[in-house]
Amino acid sequence: MNDLGVSKQQTNETFHLLKQLQLHLEQEWKFQPREKGLSLIESASENDSTICPRLRNAKVEDLWTLTHFFGLETETFVLAINILDRFLALMKVKPKHLSCIGVCCFQLAARIVEQECNIPSINDIIRISQCKCTASDLKRMEKIISEKLHFEFKATTALTFLHLYHTIVLRHTSERKELLNIDKLEAQLKACNCRLVFSKAKPSVLALCLLSLEVEHLNSNELFEIALRVQKHSKINDLDMLYWRDLVSQCLADYASPECCKPDHKKLVWIVSRRTAQNLHNSYYSVPELPTIPEAAAFNESESEDSCEDMSCGEESLSNSPPSDLEASFFFDSFKTRPKRRTHHMKSEM
C-alpha cells in the first residue's frame, strides 16, 4: 500500500479504502460470468433457439430504461446486468424466456440495493415492462436463477471498483474535487454494460479504464500519476489496460454520436387489447367542458379555483394505467441525480 503514499499521518479511512479494494480484487473472479458461456452467446446466430448478442444488449437497454423509470440506483442496474450475464453464461436460454429472466434479475437486484419503500411491486414491474409473464412465472424463474447462482447475488462489480477508485483518487489529489464527476463515470459504465463484450472484462480493469480515460480528458498530470499508482496497486498489467481502454474508448465515441439511440431516450410502449383501447379512448380523450369567461366580467376566486381543477383533470400519473395503446415517451438525463420517488407525467402521442 505504500505505492499509494499511505503514511501514519493519513486517516484510518484511507487505509480502510485500500483494504476494501484489496478484498474486492481477491473476490471479483467469483462474480464474473463464465467466459465460455459468453463466447457461445457472441458466436450465436439470430434464431428462435438461442440468445444472440443483439437480444442480450436490447434486454440490457430495456432494464436501463426501467431503472430510470422507477428512479432506482445505478447500482441496481449494474447488479441486475451482472446477475443476468452470469445466468445466461451458465444456461442455454431460449429468446422467448429472456424477457421474464431480465425482469426477474431486475427485481432481485432491486431487493438487494434499494430500500424496501423504493422497490417496485411485482405487478408494477410486469405492467410497465410488458414482459408478458405473470407473477407466478416470475417466482418460478426467481427460484431457478437463485438455485443456479447458489443465491450469490450481492456481487463485486465494475461499479464497486469505480466508486473505490474515485474516492481514493480524490483523497490523494489537490485538484478541485468536482473535476472528476462520478455521475459522468457511472453513465459511461452503463453505456459499456449495454455491450456484451465488456462482460468479459475484469470489473477492476473496466473501472480503471473509464477512470483513466476521464483523467486523460481532464489533462491533469497529478491525476494521471495517481491513476498509475492505483493501477500498480491493483496489479493490472499494461497489456490488459491498453486492450480494454481501446474498446472502451470506441464504445464511448459511438455512444456520444448523434446516430446512437440511447436507452434514456427510448419510448416505452404499452400493448393493450382493442376493447381496452376503446375504453381508454372514450375516457381519456374526452375534453372537459370549461365555463365561458366573459370578456368584460371579473371572475371571483372560487371560479378561478374551479377552472384550475378542471384543467388538471387531463393529466394522468404513471401510477394509473397508460392512456393509450400507442406510444408514450419518457426522457431522462443520465448526468443528473434523480430523487428516489417522484411523480412522472405522461404525454401520449397519437
Side-chain angles (χ1 to χ4, degrees), residues 20 25 35 49 51 58 100 112 121-122 130 137 143 154 160 163 179 208 217 243 265 293 318-319 341:
Q20 267 191 310
L25 286 168
E35 187 171 352
S49 60
I51 300 295
C100 182
I112 294 170
S121 69
I122 293 178
Q130 290 282 293
D137 294 333
K143 184 174 183 294
K154 194 171 183 179
T160 308
H163 283 178
L179 277 180
L208 191 56
H217 175 72
Y243 175 77
H265 296 163
I293 302 175
L318 286 177
S319 60
R341 281 294 173 190

Side-chain angles (χ1 to χ4, degrees), residues 112-128:
I112 294 170
V113 176
E114 304 291 338
Q115 295 181 4
E116 188 174 355
C117 60
N118 294 325
I119 300 173
S121 69
I122 293 178
N123 290 333
D124 283 345
I125 295 175
I126 291 173
R127 181 166 59 90
I128 299 301

Side-chain angles (χ1 to χ4, degrees), residues 145-169:
I145 295 174
S146 300
E147 290 174 352
K148 294 301 179 183
L149 298 185
H150 307 291
F151 296 88
E152 294 181 335
F153 300 127
K154 194 171 183 179
T156 295
T157 65
L159 185 65
T160 308
F161 288 104
L162 195 61
H163 283 178
L164 280 171
Y165 289 154
H166 180 263
T167 305
I168 291 170
V169 169

Side-chain angles (χ1 to χ4, degrees), residues 91-318:
M91 304 293 295
K92 187 175 181 180
V93 174
K94 291 185 177 181
K96 65 181 181 180
H97 297 141
L98 183 58
S99 182
C100 182
I101 293 170
V103 168
C104 190
C105 293
F106 176 78
Q107 186 186 30
L108 285 168
R111 286 181 191 165
I112 294 170
V113 176
E114 304 291 338
Q115 295 181 4
E116 188 174 355
C117 60
N118 294 325
I119 300 173
S121 69
I122 293 178
N123 290 333
D124 283 345
I125 295 175
I126 291 173
R127 181 166 59 90
I128 299 301
S129 67
Q130 290 282 293
C131 63
K132 298 180 181 178
C133 58
T134 64
S136 298
D137 294 333
L138 284 181
K139 288 180 180 178
R140 286 195 296 270
M141 185 59 69
E142 179 183 336
K143 184 174 183 294
I144 294 171
I145 295 174
S146 300
E147 290 174 352
K148 294 301 179 183
L149 298 185
H150 307 291
F151 296 88
E152 294 181 335
F153 300 127
K154 194 171 183 179
T156 295
T157 65
L159 185 65
T160 308
F161 288 104
L162 195 61
H163 283 178
L164 280 171
Y165 289 154
H166 180 263
T167 305
I168 291 170
V169 169
L170 291 188
R171 286 193 172 276
H172 289 80
T173 183
S174 58
E175 298 275 6
R176 289 183 293 115
K177 307 301 183 184
E178 62 271 16
L179 277 180
L180 208 55
N181 190 325
I182 189 62
D183 291 336
K184 181 178 180 181
L185 291 170
E186 286 185 1
Q188 292 173 341
L189 175 60
K190 287 188 286 188
C192 292
N193 282 144
C194 289
R195 296 195 177 186
L196 177 65
V197 64
F198 292 108
S199 295
K200 287 185 169 184
K202 284 185 177 180
S204 57
V205 176
L206 179 57
L208 191 56
C209 286
L210 289 166
L211 183 73
S212 63
L213 284 170
E214 184 62 18
V215 166
E216 183 180 291
H217 175 72
L218 294 173
N219 197 24
S220 168
N221 290 330
E222 184 187 29
L223 290 177
F224 181 73
E225 289 297 326
I226 297 171
L228 285 179
R229 294 203 294 271
V230 170
Q231 179 185 343
K232 184 179 178 181
H233 179 78
S234 302
K235 297 179 181 178
I236 298 173
N237 64 60
D238 292 337
L239 288 178
D240 282 346
M241 278 294 294
L242 289 173
Y243 175 77
W244 288 107
R245 260 177 62 105
D246 286 344
L247 290 178
V248 171
S249 179
Q250 183 59 51
C251 171
L252 297 182
D254 293 343
Y255 190 76
S257 67
E259 290 79 16
C260 177
C261 180
K262 300 172 179 60
D264 283 356
H265 296 163
K266 286 180 64 177
K267 295 176 179 178
L268 294 179
V269 181
W270 281 269
I271 303 172
V272 298
S273 66
R274 182 175 299 177
R275 180 178 177 181
T276 302
Q278 290 174 346
N279 292 335
L280 289 171
H281 183 277
N282 292 335
S283 62
Y284 181 77
Y285 291 107
S286 57
V287 180
E289 294 184 2
L290 299 179
T292 303
I293 302 175
E295 292 183 8
F299 55 91
N300 58 36
E301 291 183 0
S302 61
E303 289 175 340
S304 175
E305 291 175 358
D306 291 342
S307 298
C308 290
E309 289 177 3
D310 289 339
M311 291 177 69
S312 65
C313 291
E315 295 182 356
E316 290 286 331
S317 167
L318 286 177

